[in-house]
């Protein structure tokens, strides 16, 4: 035990892994990664700018969308430094403290994404099922409280797992299987009893990965029930179209999230390349796809972006 403790005190770093089997091609692999990060940053900042500058977008639906864009931006900026420095400069070491900081923000923003999508499903429920009370239910004060509750929820969810992991000794290998610090990855390197961590992780899975989608499905069940009771097909199609962007965003988040969880739990002996691909899809798909989905499928956002770009062109002239 003393040997373990000494190892923990003396080795204040982890070793990150790039794309297994393709180390010689990292500089070429960095091109699509860099492109995806640029798309995410430009896409989400454009949506934030459009919502901020366009008064017609100062509505609950678009305020929640701005929260989603901020979360996606945070997720992108959390993983980009370690991924790109590894692919460009082969810098694989990350300090003990920096790894835990990245762990906190990575999982925090991931849980925040789920929380925002849950809040957006509530917004769609009120808009379609209680349209006459929409403005009185979702006031700016209520939206502010929802945002504060989401932040508190994510911080309180991640902090215990961080402290539970940090108290444990790491011995032997420091090699992580990704180019960023994931809880599922770091817990493998612990040489102590991890039952408390496992039970807490299981509780988080139930509370976020299971509960949030169930509540979203419940809200859409009520929405469908309300839509099917409307008079005309035109009204039904309009209501469904208003929900389509959100449904796509939900699928883009939860399908990779479930895939990563299943891979870590039931395919531990699969090729390391499988784990790396699944984790990168999980972390890159939502920040890259959400701005595209909302820009293409939401007319008001599209018009807001066009108006923003036209204003900038006028200033340049």
């Amino acid at each position: 035990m003393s040997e373990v403790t000494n190892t923990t005190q003396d080795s204040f770093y982890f070793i990150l892994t790039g794309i297994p089997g393709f180390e010689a091609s990292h500089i070429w692999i960095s091109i699509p990664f860099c492109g995806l990060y640029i798309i995410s940053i430009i896409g989400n900042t454009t949506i934030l700018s459009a919502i901020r500058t366009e008064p017609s977008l100062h509505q609950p639906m678009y305020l929640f969308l701005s929260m989603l864009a901020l979360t996606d931006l945070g997720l992108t900026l959390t993983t980009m430094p370690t991924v790109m420095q590894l692919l460009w400069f082969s810098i694989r070491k990350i300090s003990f403290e920096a790894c835990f900081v990245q762990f906190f923000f990575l999982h925090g923003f991931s849980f925040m994404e789920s929380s925002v999508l849950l809040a957006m499903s509530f917004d769609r429920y009120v808009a379609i099922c209680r349209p006459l009370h929409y403005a009185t239910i979702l006031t700016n004060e209520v939206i502010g409280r929802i945002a504060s509750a989401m932040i508190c929820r994510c911080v309180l969810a991640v902090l215990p797992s961080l402290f539970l992991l940090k108290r444990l000794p790491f011995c032997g290998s420091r090699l992580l299987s990704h180019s960023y610090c994931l809880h599922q990855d770091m817990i493998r390197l612990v040489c102590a009893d991890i039952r408390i961590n496992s039970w807490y992780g299981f509780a988080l899975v139930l509370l976020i990965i299971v509960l949030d989608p169930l509540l979203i499905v419940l809200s859409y069940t009520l929405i469908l029930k309300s839509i099917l009771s409307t008079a005309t097909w035109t009204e039904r199609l309009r209501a469904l179209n208003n929900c389509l962007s959100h449904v796509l965003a939900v699928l883009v988040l939860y399908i990779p999230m479930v895939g990563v969880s299943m891979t870590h739990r039931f395919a531990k002996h699969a090729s390391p390349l499988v784990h790396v691909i699944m984790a990168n899809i999980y972390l890159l798909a939502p920040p890259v796809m959400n701005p595209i989905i909302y820009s293409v499928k939401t007319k008001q956002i599209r018009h807001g972006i066009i108006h923003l770009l036209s204003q900038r062109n006028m200033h340049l002239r």
Side-chain angles (χ1 to χ4, degrees), residues 60 63-64 133-146:
L63 294 177
F64 285 122
H133 303 282
Y134 183 67
T136 55
I137 292 174
L138 286 172
T139 61
N140 287 339
E141 184 182 353
V142 169
I143 293 168
R145 288 178 181 175
I146 291 172

Side-chain angles (χ1 to χ4, degrees), residues 46 50 54 295 299-313:
T46 301
E54 185 61 45
S295 299
K299 184 172 67 175
Q300 293 87 342
I301 290 293
R302 196 163 59 248
H303 288 170
I305 292 171
I306 292 168
H307 185 244
L308 175 69
L309 294 175
S310 63
Q311 278 185 326
R312 288 190 175 175
N313 285 334

Side-chain angles (χ1 to χ4, degrees), residues 29-44:
I29 294 169
S30 72
I31 295 171
F33 271 90
C34 187
L36 291 171
Y37 281 126
I38 289 170
I39 290 168
S40 172
I41 292 168
I42 292 175
N44 286 296

